[in-house]
Amino acid sequence: MNSPNLSILVLYYSRHGSTRTMAELLAQGIESVAGCDALLRTVPAISTVTEATEPEIPTQGAPYVELQDLTDCAGLAFGSPTRFGNMASPLKYFWDGTSAQWLGGALAGKPACVFTSTGSLHGGQESTLLTMMMPLLHHGMMILGLPYTHPELMTTSSGGTPYGASHWSGLNGKHPISDDSRTLTIALGRRLAETAQKMRSR
Ligand SMILES: Cc1cc2nc3c(=O)[nH]c(=O)nc-3n(C[C@H](O)[C@H](O)[C@H](O)COP(=O)(O)O)c2cc1C
């Protein structure tokens, strides 16, 4: 009997599209591995005005993540714009609602990676990537970075780090993703999917 494809969750938030572009490249890398599907999901924006609510179904882009997606996925790519050197609050808010999944070990032992987009080149790509790993580690995930066997890690002048994929979107947020950063982002998705495959076959 054929086993079903592995579903890898690509969970991201994006206000202006840069992180979404990266999520789509991660998905491309994931789906370059036979037997792996990427499930793109986002979270609603949050507001300091507590009366503000988002529609139940987003008007455009990926659907909102459901807690069951954490249980069902074979791995997770987690992406956020950099906000003051850290992940965006809608994503932090999402993690703060995952106590039941933490207690139940929904993500424990599964592979994960992180990605981000910044407005300025030295505006916190690495601090964001590293701190985005914290909730994943608390959930028991096995974090993957990028090895220096990728020569682009030495040549990039925009984004792409050993801690995860990154993109420099510029002051106007419209810089196209550089060739090096694109290659590294796809490679990270591929590495995540290959690892999930290996872990399934053990
Ligand atoms: C509230 C806020 C805080 C931000 N903080 C940073 C920052 O610390 N460093 C940086 O380089 N860019 C920062 N930016 C810029 C975003 O990280 C950048 O525009 C990113 O590419 C947006 O991603 P998106 O297009 O997926 O929304 C910030 C933007 C906002 C709105």
Side-chain angles (χ1 to χ4, degrees):
M1 193 177 90
N2 286 337
S3 53
N5 279 4
L6 287 183
S7 176
I8 311 280
L9 179 60
V10 183
L11 173 61
Y12 70 95
Y13 178 73
S14 182
R15 184 79 182 201
H16 299 293
S18 295
T19 314
R20 184 173 66 235
T21 298
M22 297 190 75
E24 288 161 358
L25 292 171
L26 258 296
Q28 188 180 321
I30 289 165
E31 298 205 333
S32 71
V33 177
C36 289
D37 294 331
L39 186 74
L40 285 148
R41 291 292 182 266
T42 189
V43 293
I46 60 170
S47 168
T48 50
V49 182
T50 52
E51 291 81 8
T53 56
E54 290 281 325
E56 270 184 36
I57 298 170
T59 48
Q60 56 180 9
Y64 294 136
V65 67
E66 294 179 12
L67 291 169
Q68 185 63 30
D69 294 329
L70 302 181
T71 302
D72 294 345
C73 72
L76 170 68
F78 178 45
S80 174
T82 288
R83 296 244 167 123
F84 303 115
N86 215 316
M87 79 173 86
S89 53
L91 289 164
K92 180 65 168 60
Y93 185 77
F94 170 75
W95 286 116
D96 287 358
T98 61
S99 297
Q101 289 65 35
W102 168 67
L103 283 169
L107 291 169
K110 296 178 182 177
C113 66
V114 291
F115 58 100
T116 190
S117 173
T118 57
S120 54
L121 186 52
H122 300 289
Q125 292 186 357
E126 293 174 2
S127 64
T128 302
L129 292 172
L130 289 168
T131 47
M132 285 174 73
M133 293 176 188
M134 296 308 151
L136 309 187
L137 288 167
H138 278 258
H139 272 275
M141 301 202 83
M142 300 171 77
I143 311 279
L144 296 170
L146 280 163
Y148 272 92
T149 45
H150 293 290
E152 295 84 2
L153 281 178
M154 293 297 280
T155 56
T156 182
S157 55
S158 59
T161 83
Y163 314 107
S166 57
H167 163 51
W168 171 33
S169 71
L171 190 58
N172 61 3
K174 296 201 183 329
H175 283 182
I177 192 160
S178 70
D179 289 346
D180 282 344
S181 187
R182 171 188 295 271
T183 301
L184 291 166
T185 305
I186 294 171
L188 187 60
R190 186 171 175 84
R191 188 171 201 227
L192 177 67
E194 285 172 343
T195 304
Q197 284 280 31
K198 282 180 196 156
M199 291 173 76
R200 174 163 75 168
S201 61
R202 287 183 65 210

